[in-house]
Each structure stands twice: as C-alpha cells, then as structure tokens.
C-alpha cells in the first residue's frame, strides 16, 4: 500500500565538520536519533545535555559541533524526514488525473500516504509525534495569500510540494467558499497528522486493539474525505474573513 519511491536522506544536507563527503560520522547519527525520540516523547524543551547523554556522547558541545546550534539540530531532524516525504508526495501529485477527473480521495492519499510510508520506514517511528510537538504553538492561518500553516519549519522543496498539494485540495473544494475551503484543508491536514501521531504512540506502547498502519490509514483517509466533501453549514454572514474566531462566533450566535 505504501510503496516507497525515493531514497531517504538519513542525515540532512549539512555535513558535520570533519566528516568525509557522503559519510556522516556515527556521532551525528546518534544525536539525530536521540534528539528525535526525546523531542517527540518529552517536548522541545529537553536540554542539550540529555540529548548528548542519550546519544552516548561525552562532549557537551556535540550539538554545537555537528549542527552549529540547537535550531540546526531540529532542522536536521526534520530534514531527514521531510525530504523523502516531499519526493514521494511529488511522485503522487505528478500522477493525479486532470482537475475534472481527480477525486478528493486521490488528493487525500497524496497527502497521507507519504507520511505513513515514512512511519513504516523508520519503525519504531517518532516523526508524527515530533510534528505534533512542532505544531503545538503554531496557529492555523486561514489567509488565502499565505495558505494554511501546517508546519512551522520546512525545507524549501518540502514547503513548495506541500503548498502545491494544499492548493490543489482547496481548488478541488469548489462547493465551498474560497476562505472556508482553505480553512477546511488546514484543519484536515492537522487532523491527519494528529491521527498518525496517536497511532504511532499507541502502537509503540503496545495498546490493545491498535490496528496495523495500513487499515488505520484507510480509516483516516475515509474521515478526511468526508471532512472535505461535507457541505458548508456556515451562514453567509460569517464567511468573510473566516477563521477560528469566526467559526466560534458562528457556533454561539446561530
């Protein structure tokens, strides 16, 4: 179901100092793995010293040495997932039928299948939970100009591919006013990520009754299609400048 179509980048593009071209040092890889797990399970405030210790390193400046800064470490963790996801997503976008023939389901699959494939590739995975951590303090923006904000820090190519897909999804929702279509696509993208993060946690924790990823992804896909295809119930007077505040106002005044 989730055929992987690209070669993932295990380390990010910025090489560590002293590393041979194409051959990152083992210490860098251990730091990436430790940081991803700790950020995903404990939050982004985990001290560098704990990341260094979890990676089996003794030099407390290891993060600075390999990544220049803590922000550089977070970027490198994100890049090694976002790059293959973007490549896989671009592959699926290129194979979509024309606008008159494509379905909502095909668009949702182009969004979620690369994410699910990445979770399988990295099993045990922490990527979906890390995305949740990165999104916690990010507001949803419903501006037609900026597009929905579904990830706070992305590589340029990953950002361009995701933006392309989100715009295709918005254009497909011709039964909705433009601003409401943008809002609904942003909310759906967040919903899909949250669902995968919950699956990732429960499957690793051994929670009883957790489905395997393939059928679970089909369930998420069904729900996302229903979310996007549902008719609008927002009264016309609340459709201008629609956003979270507008939706809440609509709820309490109708």
């Amino acid at each position: 179901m989730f055929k992987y179509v690209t070669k993932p980048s295990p380390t990010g593009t910025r090489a560590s100092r002293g590393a041979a071209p194409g051959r990152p040092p083992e210490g860098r890889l251990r730091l990436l793995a430790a940081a991803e797990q700790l950020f995903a399970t404990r939050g982004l405030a985990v001290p560098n010293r704990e990341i260094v210790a979890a990676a089996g390193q003794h030099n407390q400046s290891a993060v600075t040495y390999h990544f220049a800064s803590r922000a550089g470490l977070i970027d490198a963790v994100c890049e090694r997932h976002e790059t293959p996801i973007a490549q896989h997503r671009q592959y699926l976008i290129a194979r979509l039928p024309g606008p008159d023939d494509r379905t909502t389901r095909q668009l949702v699959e182009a969004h979620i299948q690369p994410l699910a494939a990445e979770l399988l590739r990295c099993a045990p995975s922490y990527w979906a939970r890390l995305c949740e951590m990165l999104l916690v303090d990010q507001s949803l923006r419903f501006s037609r100009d900026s597009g929905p904000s579904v990830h706070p820090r992305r590589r340029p190519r990953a950002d361009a591919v995701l933006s392309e897909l989100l715009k295709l999804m918005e254009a497909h929702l011709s039964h909705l006013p433009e601003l409401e279509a943008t809002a609904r696509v942003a909310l759906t993208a967040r919903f899909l990520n949250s669902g995968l993060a919950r699956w990732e946690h429960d499957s690793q924790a051994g929670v009883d009754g957790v489905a395997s990823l393939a059928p679970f992804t089909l369930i998420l896909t069904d729900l996302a299609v229903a979310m996007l295809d549902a008719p609008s119930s927002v009264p016309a007077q609340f459709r201008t400048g629609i956003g979270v505040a507008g939706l809440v106002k609509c709820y309490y005044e109708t």
Side-chain angles (χ1 to χ4, degrees), residues 136-192:
V136 164
D137 296 324
Q138 299 296 315
S139 63
L140 280 167
R141 295 194 302 273
F142 296 122
S143 166
R144 191 69 182 173
D145 296 328
S146 62
S149 175
V150 295
H151 204 296
R153 46 198 316 138
R154 306 193 65 86
R155 277 11 70 194
R157 178 176 177 180
D159 184 59
V161 174
L162 178 62
S163 294
E164 178 185 2
L165 178 59
L166 296 178
K167 288 177 181 177
L168 291 175
M169 294 171 77
E170 293 169 27
H172 183 72
L173 302 184
S174 57
H175 64 292
L176 298 174
E178 286 189 355
L179 289 174
E180 188 174 349
T182 302
R184 196 176 290 195
V185 167
L187 290 166
T188 301
R190 294 286 284 262
F191 162 77
L192 291 173

Side-chain angles (χ1 to χ4, degrees), residues 85 89 92 106-116 150 162 165-166 169 188-190 192-193:
I85 287 171
R89 191 168 277 152
L92 296 178
Q106 289 169 330
L107 291 165
V108 171
E109 288 173 345
H111 189 284
I112 193 173
Q113 287 190 4
L115 299 175
V150 295
L162 178 62
L165 178 59
L166 296 178
M169 294 171 77
T188 301
R190 294 286 284 262
L192 291 173
N193 192 89

